[in-house]
């Protein structure tokens, strides 16, 4: 299976061979990067040449540096320390689908540009527009924005886009999924025709190809991850568990691994909110991040997570898009996503840039179909792990009963076999499992 961070057979060129200014390379070195990732090796020379680019790369591949480093290099002739806003027109526009991604891209731009006099700022919706105005009026060469908020600023005459030389569409597939096409079209009419356009997308769907035909001119194409690729450094597994036992299994996984940071995925906002509260009550510091929380609450939760104040961050798919948390060791799917491609996005939050990680899915019987879809997309069956043998957080003696169905204790069967036995006849209730659970409770001193 191809890995996102797959290395080419020949030795990677060093960053120093990529024709980047020493001050940009200094920031790269300070970021701790020793060698460029495959997307960086392929994309940086193309961007430096001034060509349009269509790049297929998911979050986690190092794509932000792949477009930001050569972008800084191209803008260097305009770098200056003048205090006059007129000397700092917007020369590069980076569009991102979500606030979280915009913020993270903005942080990366700042980090890579810290030794060159090029200014940048980020604008996104959900916060008071007036707070973003001063930075724009001071002048920035690089603007990172979500499409809707950018148009608000255009209407308020806080930005002029007629000197943009480089347009970057980050996670373009997400932008289309989220219905940003009309906004993108409007933004395009405000930009000079003569410009460089870079499109980054996790997939090359027909819609993306059409977008590229409309917006790009004779683009170079680079591709480092197929849509069904998942980082080899991530250990993926499934724990089959009944819906009633999911919560205890989740606590067990977190405790058995002594996890300090775990990202937990749910399908709905309501489940995310409830689960975070329940984890919190069980002594696992937690917070939730989803569309019903204000921008401020989301940022606060994310900061608390990054700072280690909370252990579990419970998120929905939409809210988690673009989240970049270095070295995230554990991702747990409390519920599988309805769309198998979201599974790839979810597990892409761990095992980044070569770091190892674990992605465990708690799957109940009703999710068997979704699991099969995921395995089909991955082109392999995921190993089944036993449920963690850790005492539940809250003793529930009355609930220690045999599951009504034996799917949970079936020996692991490949997907095709699972499909064939999906409608298996009733199986005898298990004998051994309740005893094991009682033993676990006894060990944990709960009975
Ligand atoms: P991205 O795909 O841009 O979201 O990047 C994913 C992660 O990889 C970020 O945490 C970056 O800091 C990190 N990263 C980017 N380039 C490199 C590199 N050449 N070596 C190691 N880590 C990198």
């Amino acid at each position: 299976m191809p890995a996102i961070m797959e290395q080419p057979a020949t030795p990677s060129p060093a960053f120093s061979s990529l024709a980047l200014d020493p001050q940009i390379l200094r920031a790269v070195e300070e970021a701790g990067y020793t060698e460029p990732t495959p997307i960086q090796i392929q994309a940086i020379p193309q961007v430096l040449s001034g060509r349009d680019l269509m790049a297929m790369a998911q979050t986690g591949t190092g794509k932000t540096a792949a477009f930001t480093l050569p972008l800084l290099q191209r803008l260097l002739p305009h770098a200056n320390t003048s205090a006059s806003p007129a000397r700092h027109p917007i020369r590069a526009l980076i569009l991102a689908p979500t606030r979280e991604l915009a913020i993270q891209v903005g942080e990366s731009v700042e980090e890579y540009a810290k030794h060159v006099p090029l200014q940048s700022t980020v604008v996104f919706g959900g916060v008071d527009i007036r707070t973003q105005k001063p930075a724009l009026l001071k002048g920035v060469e690089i603007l990172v924005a979500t499409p809707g908020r950018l148009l608000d600023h255009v209407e308020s005459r806080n930005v002029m886009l007629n000197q943009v030389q480089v347009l970057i569409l980050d996670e373009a597939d997400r932008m289309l999924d989220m219905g940003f096409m009309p906004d993108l079209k409007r933004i395009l009419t405000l930009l000079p025709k003569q410009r460089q356009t870079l499109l980054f997308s996790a997939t090359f769907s027909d819609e993306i190809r059409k977008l590229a035909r409309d917006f790009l001119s004779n683009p170079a194409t680079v591709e480092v991850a197929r849509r069904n690729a998942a980082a080899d450094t991530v250990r993926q597994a499934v724990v089959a568990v009944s819906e009633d036992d999911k919560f205890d299994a989740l606590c067990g996984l977190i405790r058995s691994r002594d996890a300090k940071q775990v990202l937990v995925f749910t399908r709905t906002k309501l489940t995310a909110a409830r689960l975070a509260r329940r984890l919190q009550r069980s002594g696992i510091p937690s917070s939730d991040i989803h569309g019903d929380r204000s921008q401020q609450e989301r940022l606060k939760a994310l900061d608390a997570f990054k700072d280690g104040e909370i252990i579990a961050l419970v998120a929905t798919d939409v809210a988690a898009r673009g989240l970049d948390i270095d070295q995230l060791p554990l991702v747990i799917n409390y519920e599988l996503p309805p769309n198998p491609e979201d599974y790839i996005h979810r597990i892409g939050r761990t095992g980044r840039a070569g770091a190892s990680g674990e992605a465990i899915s708690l799957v109940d019987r009703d999710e068997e179909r979704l699991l099969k879809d995921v395995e089909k997309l991955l082109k392999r069956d995921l190993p089944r792990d036993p449920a963690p043998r850790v005492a539940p957080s809250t003793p529930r003696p009355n609930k220690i009963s045999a599951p009504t169905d034996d799917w949970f204790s079936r020996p692991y069967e490949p997907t095709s076999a699972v499909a064939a036995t999906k409608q298996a006849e009733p199986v005898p209730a298990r004998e051994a499992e309740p005893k094991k659970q009682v033993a676990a409770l006894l060990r944990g001193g709960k009975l």
Side-chain angles (χ1 to χ4, degrees):
M1 189 182 60
I4 290 177
M5 303 301 296
E6 192 176 298
Q7 295 298 324
T10 47
S12 313
F15 270 112
S16 54
S17 69
L18 287 173
L20 295 168
D21 186 89
Q23 293 308 327
I24 300 175
L25 290 176
R26 201 174 130 206
V28 167
E29 203 184 312
E30 286 169 9
Y33 308 164
T34 47
E35 56 179 39
T37 65
I39 185 70
Q40 291 161 4
I41 293 167
Q42 293 183 53
I44 290 175
Q46 299 289 356
V47 181
L48 287 175
S49 77
R51 239 184 120 169
D52 280 5
L53 177 75
M54 184 169 168
M56 183 157 116
Q58 295 177 335
T59 295
T61 53
K63 67 180 168 61
T64 315
F67 61 73
T68 306
L69 301 177
L71 171 69
L72 294 173
Q73 181 69 37
R74 296 210 65 211
L75 296 184
L76 264 189
H78 301 291
N80 70 87
T81 51
S82 164
S84 160
R87 299 285 313 279
H88 302 283
I90 298 169
R91 297 186 190 274
L93 176 62
I94 304 175
L95 293 177
T98 63
R99 323 159 208 210
E100 283 78 13
L101 183 64
I103 290 168
Q104 275 155 23
V105 170
E107 283 172 358
S108 296
V109 171
E110 240 178 60
E111 185 180 6
Y112 304 142
K114 67 180 171 190
H115 300 304
V116 292
L118 288 166
Q119 310 305 317
S120 66
T121 193
V122 190
V123 296
F124 45 83
V127 291
D128 188 342
I129 190 166
R130 285 169 302 185
T131 60
Q132 297 169 342
K133 195 172 165 182
L136 292 171
L137 296 187
K138 258 171 75 185
V140 292
E141 278 82 15
I142 303 168
L143 177 61
V144 186
T146 51
R149 179 48 63 97
L150 175 66
L151 287 170
D152 295 340
H153 281 293
V154 168
E155 257 159 43
S156 309
R157 299 185 182 280
N158 297 339
V159 290
M160 293 282 286
L161 300 176
N162 58 357
Q163 293 201 55
V164 170
Q165 299 167 7
V166 187
L167 168 68
I168 297 163
L169 303 173
D170 195 9
E171 296 202 358
D173 49 344
R174 292 287 174 203
M175 282 200 258
L176 297 190
D177 285 353
M178 293 170 76
F180 280 131
M181 192 61 186
D183 285 353
L184 290 184
K185 282 193 171 147
R186 253 200 80 201
I187 292 166
L188 260 283
T189 63
L190 304 168
L191 304 180
K193 291 235 168 339
Q194 194 65 29
R195 58 160 201 274
Q196 181 181 28
T197 306
L198 315 175
L199 180 155
F200 283 75
S201 172
T203 60
F204 277 176
S205 61
D206 289 347
E207 293 80 27
I208 286 292
R209 287 179 199 281
K210 182 172 181 326
L211 182 76
R213 272 199 303 279
D214 292 350
F215 291 3
L216 277 62
S217 150
N218 186 28
T221 308
V222 302
E223 194 173 315
V224 293
R226 286 217 311 261
R227 57 197 274 146
N228 64 349
D232 267 354
T233 49
V234 181
R235 180 183 173 270
Q236 301 171 64
V238 169
V239 173
V241 65
S242 73
E243 201 190 335
D244 282 351
D245 290 332
K246 265 195 180 185
F247 181 74
D248 286 339
L250 172 66
C251 295
L253 282 174
I254 296 173
R255 295 206 163 106
S256 64
R257 281 155 177 77
D258 197 17
K260 300 284 178 276
Q261 251 192 342
V262 50
L263 185 58
V264 182
F265 281 98
T266 63
R267 267 199 294 272
T268 67
K269 304 180 233 183
L270 193 64
T271 314
R274 283 189 181 149
L275 190 57
R277 278 200 300 273
R278 216 173 148 193
L279 283 168
Q280 184 77 27
R281 280 200 303 271
S282 302
I284 298 175
S286 305
S287 191
D288 47 325
I289 174 166
H290 50 76
D292 279 353
R293 302 206 75 189
S294 71
Q295 173 64 3
Q296 234 171 0
E297 287 170 328
R298 287 158 74 162
L299 291 178
K300 208 171 131 205
L302 194 56
D303 280 346
F305 188 54
K306 285 185 172 177
D307 294 346
E309 286 161 28
I310 57 171
I311 288 177
L313 185 65
V314 188
T316 56
D317 290 290
V318 172
R321 262 164 216 160
L323 281 188
D324 175 19
I325 301 137
D326 281 341
Q327 311 286 333
L328 187 59
L330 180 60
V331 168
I332 298 179
N333 291 316
Y334 192 73
E335 297 168 318
L336 282 178
N339 174 1
E341 288 186 0
D342 277 328
Y343 174 89
I344 308 274
H345 283 281
R346 287 179 178 189
I347 69 161
R349 311 292 151 198
T350 180
R352 290 203 165 185
S356 63
E358 223 184 351
I360 312 276
S361 302
L362 298 172
V363 179
D364 70 39
R365 193 186 156 72
D366 291 342
E367 295 172 299
E368 212 175 327
R369 166 95 248 152
L370 298 174
L371 177 60
K372 266 179 27 189
D373 290 345
V374 167
E375 291 182 323
K376 214 165 117 193
L377 185 66
L378 294 171
K379 293 202 176 70
R380 72 180 174 105
D381 300 307
L382 294 174
R384 270 57 171 172
D385 276 5
R389 287 160 154 251
V390 171
S393 45
T394 331
R396 296 180 303 157
N398 295 337
K399 293 219 91 178
I400 304 170
S401 55
T404 50
D405 187 286
D406 208 34
W407 183 68
F408 311 103
S409 62
R410 254 187 245 155
Y412 169 60
E413 295 162 86
T415 324
S416 50
V418 172
T421 57
K422 191 172 173 255
Q423 299 301 332
E425 313 98 78
V427 282
R430 286 178 304 164
E431 299 283 327
E433 203 55 24
K435 286 187 200 140
K436 273 193 226 154
Q437 292 188 21
V438 172
L441 286 173
L442 283 170
R443 267 198 309 281
K446 301 281 183 188
L447 283 181

